Amino acid sequence: MKFPNSYYISDYKLPINDYFVFGLSVDCVIFGYQEGEIKVLLVQRGLEPFKGNWALIGDLVEPKQNLCDAANNVLEKLTGLKNIYLKQFFAFGSVDRHPLDRVVTVGYFSLVNSMDYKPIASSWAKSARWFNINDLPELAFDHHTILLKGIETLKDEVRHKPTGFELLPPKFTLLELQLLYEALLGYKFDKSNFRKKIIEMNILKPLKEAKENVSHRPAQLFEFDEKRYRALEKEGFSFEL
Amino acid sequence: MKFPNSYYISDYKLPINDYFVFGLSVDCVIFGYQEGEIKVLLVQRGLEPFKGNWALIGDLVEPKQNLCDAANNVLEKLTGLKNIYLKQFFAFGSVDRHPLDRVVTVGYFSLVNSMDYKPIASSWAKSARWFNINDLPELAFDHHTILLKGIETLKDEVRHKPTGFELLPPKFTLLELQLLYEALLGYKFDKSNFRKKIIEMNILKPLKEAKENVSHRPAQLFEFDEKRYRALEKEGFSFEL
DNA sequence: GTACTTATAGTATTTTTTACTTTAAGTATT
DNA sequence: AATACTTAAAGTAAAAAATACTATAAGTAC
């Protein structure tokens, strides 16, 4: 038991110890990008409840574990992916969201280049793979709701921060970048104007190399200049497409 | 006890029931506006821990209470304020953020016209009052961290959504609106251009009345046209200053 | 009526966005 | 090696938006 009931002198309805009964979990929404499609990483549950269903990458938090550590750990435990920057986006706390007991879950999301990360299912995950965001299976718990909120956050993030670059290989062409943003935001850009805008932002480092193995004129390759972006950000620059 | 330990078949370090030991709380960051200054509503704690310290408006969530209900309830319980739209902004989950036990807290924030809401302390709140955001007392727990994150969220929100109107009385002049935004965002607008921009947005309803009791030419009063805003939003309009 | 203060309208210039055109540079085909 | 084809990359003109500034109107205070 945690506290003597006399500790909190106030008007609680229950003995103070009866408040320390919540389960806490984290759920990761990992977005990827491949062949012009936005993907999300899911795992198949190998245990009850929802055994056999696909679900977001999540689990209960240890009593002595920081929230953000829990998110990173569960991602590695279930899929083998590590060193991925996870960003918290929302806490889901409906009384009935978990069929067995009161579990509040905190959602994290990330963007990665799905080519670079080959998930390997382990622990209770029977399998793990990328799903096209427009072709999802039925999900466990309220994971569909969480995913929708994650997509909303993604769009907001992508429009106001240069997060999108994380989905591309380190060296990319301007057209590849444009196609990525078109997929993420759901509308088209004028090619010429997109180039101009992004180049004038001064956050891309032009390389002397060109794309290879294309059956037409190869385009110049660029790198995202993170150092430069951080510097510009300090001066008040804000990315916006 | 919740589950038989056999229920979860997987590789948990502890018996499953030992995971259901979290305390959960909500904390409300209520922003107000008065005389060109941004205020935040705080309560003085009448019980341990941090007895006597000022703190955000928050408390433990009941085991059978939805997160958002908890936020609204605690606000009314401690200050008497109700029917205030609260928006979740972040969950704070460091292991050591609460000195006594593991408590994860979820932050909510809101904007109100501090003239309209006179907080009355009750329950364990010894007193409740508005503090200027630049002149804060020492706060209980990690509430200073939470408040800073709340301010960050506020600035983001204010710049991209017409939330700021909630801080003004229902009928206001354009200059009042401009001064509010200058206080919120921390920089000045050109008077003429500000008028033009906001009027062209078509989200203000011009009234036939004028400001009274001023010692100079009185300005026309306006109302925020929420209906119109919702309609425009649906068409893809996005507020931005 | 005069001085003063703020409201409100207007205008001219610059900057940015948008839509579109042209030219260049490569591959593939005959 | 000429031609067709594809995409890259640069340029340009018109429209729209942002900015800086001016002028006038409408009230109060004395």
Side-chain angles (χ1 to χ4, degrees), chain A residues 42-78:
Chain A
L42 300 176
V43 292
Q44 195 175 25
R45 292 180 62 85
L47 76 171
E48 296 293 346
F50 294 101
K51 186 169 176 173
N53 271 68
W54 290 90
L56 294 172
I57 296 144
D59 209 341
L60 293 170
V61 177
E62 303 281 336
K64 298 280 180 209
Q65 188 178 35
N66 286 325
L67 218 44
C68 51
D69 295 338
N72 287 291
N73 287 349
V74 73
L75 182 57
E76 181 169 1
K77 181 176 88 172
L78 295 182

Side-chain angles (χ1 to χ4, degrees), chain B residues 173-186:
Chain B
T173 71
L174 295 182
L175 187 57
E176 284 167 348
L177 183 65
Q178 180 181 344
L179 292 175
L180 166 65
Y181 271 96
E182 288 179 349
L184 285 170
L185 296 174

Side-chain angles (χ1 to χ4, degrees), chain B residues 199-215:
Chain B
I199 283 176
E200 273 166 13
M201 282 185 191
N202 250 303
I203 54 174
L204 295 188
K205 197 187 289 173
L207 302 173
K208 297 213 169 52
E209 308 164 61
K211 190 85 185 173
E212 284 173 8
N213 299 319
V214 284
S215 72

Side-chain angles (χ1 to χ4, degrees), chain B residues 42-191:
Chain B
L42 300 176
V43 292
Q44 194 174 26
R45 292 179 63 86
L47 77 171
E48 297 291 347
F50 294 100
K51 187 169 177 173
N53 272 70
W54 290 90
L56 294 172
I57 296 143
D59 208 343
L60 293 171
V61 177
E62 303 281 336
K64 298 281 179 209
Q65 189 179 35
N66 286 325
L67 218 43
C68 50
D69 295 338
N72 287 289
N73 287 349
V74 72
L75 182 58
E76 181 169 3
K77 182 176 88 173
L78 296 181
T79 68
L81 270 52
K82 51 184 165 177
N83 296 323
I84 287 179
Y85 172 71
L86 291 166
K87 185 187 150 104
Q88 190 196 118
F89 66 92
F90 203 75
F92 299 84
S94 298
V95 170
D96 56 2
R97 63 166 294 282
H98 195 291
L100 300 170
D101 200 4
R102 185 71 195 271
V103 180
V104 171
T105 197
V106 178
Y108 283 81
F109 89 102
S110 190
L111 296 175
V112 300
N113 177 0
S114 54
M115 311 291 279
D116 295 347
Y117 295 94
K118 295 288 169 215
I120 296 164
S122 61
S123 182
W124 56 255
K126 273 207 297 195
S127 47
R129 69 176 185 85
W130 295 101
F131 282 82
N132 190 314
I133 214 131
N134 297 311
D135 186 21
L136 294 168
E138 202 167 309
L139 298 182
F141 304 101
D142 57 347
H143 285 190
H144 194 72
T145 308
I146 299 177
L147 180 51
L148 286 180
K149 185 88 181 175
I151 292 174
E152 217 178 277
T153 314
L154 170 70
K155 294 206 169 177
D156 240 59
E157 185 85 359
V158 159
R159 201 177 276 112
H160 299 116
K161 303 216 161 122
T163 349
F165 296 92
E166 330 219 336
L167 297 177
L168 291 173
K171 300 173 181 184
F172 51 84
T173 71
L174 295 182
L175 187 57
E176 284 167 348
L177 183 65
Q178 180 181 344
L179 292 175
L180 166 65
Y181 271 96
E182 288 179 349
L184 285 170
L185 296 174
Y187 53 79
K188 302 225 168 274
F189 292 91
D190 176 275
K191 197 166 152 186

Side-chain angles (χ1 to χ4, degrees), chain A residues 2-3 7-14 16 18-24 45-49 51 59-68 77 88-96 98 100-104 106 108 123-124 141 160 240, chain B residues 2-3 7-14 16 18-24 45-49 51 59-68 77 88-96 98 100-104 106 108 123-124 141 160 240:
Chain A
K2 321 274 171 178
F3 308 119
Y7 194 89
Y8 276 80
I9 57 169
S10 195
D11 48 4
Y12 287 110
K13 294 177 192 153
L14 305 171
I16 186 67
D18 290 0
Y19 286 84
F20 289 79
V21 294
F22 287 82
L24 188 71
R45 292 180 62 85
L47 76 171
E48 296 293 346
K51 186 169 176 173
D59 209 341
L60 293 170
V61 177
E62 303 281 336
K64 298 280 180 209
Q65 188 178 35
N66 286 325
L67 218 44
C68 51
K77 181 176 88 172
Q88 189 195 119
F89 66 93
F90 203 74
F92 300 84
S94 297
V95 170
D96 56 2
H98 195 291
L100 301 170
D101 200 4
R102 185 73 195 272
V103 180
V104 171
V106 178
Y108 283 81
S123 181
W124 55 255
F141 305 101
H160 299 117
E240 186 138 2
Chain B
K2 321 275 172 181
F3 309 118
Y7 194 88
Y8 275 81
I9 58 170
S10 196
D11 47 4
Y12 288 109
K13 293 177 193 154
L14 307 170
I16 185 67
D18 291 359
Y19 286 83
F20 289 80
V21 294
F22 287 81
L24 188 71
R45 292 179 63 86
L47 77 171
E48 297 291 347
K51 187 169 177 173
D59 208 343
L60 293 171
V61 177
E62 303 281 336
K64 298 281 179 209
Q65 189 179 35
N66 286 325
L67 218 43
C68 50
K77 182 176 88 173
Q88 190 196 118
F89 66 92
F90 203 75
F92 299 84
S94 298
V95 170
D96 56 2
H98 195 291
L100 300 170
D101 200 4
R102 185 71 195 271
V103 180
V104 171
V106 178
Y108 283 81
S123 182
W124 56 255
F141 304 101
H160 299 116
E240 186 140 0

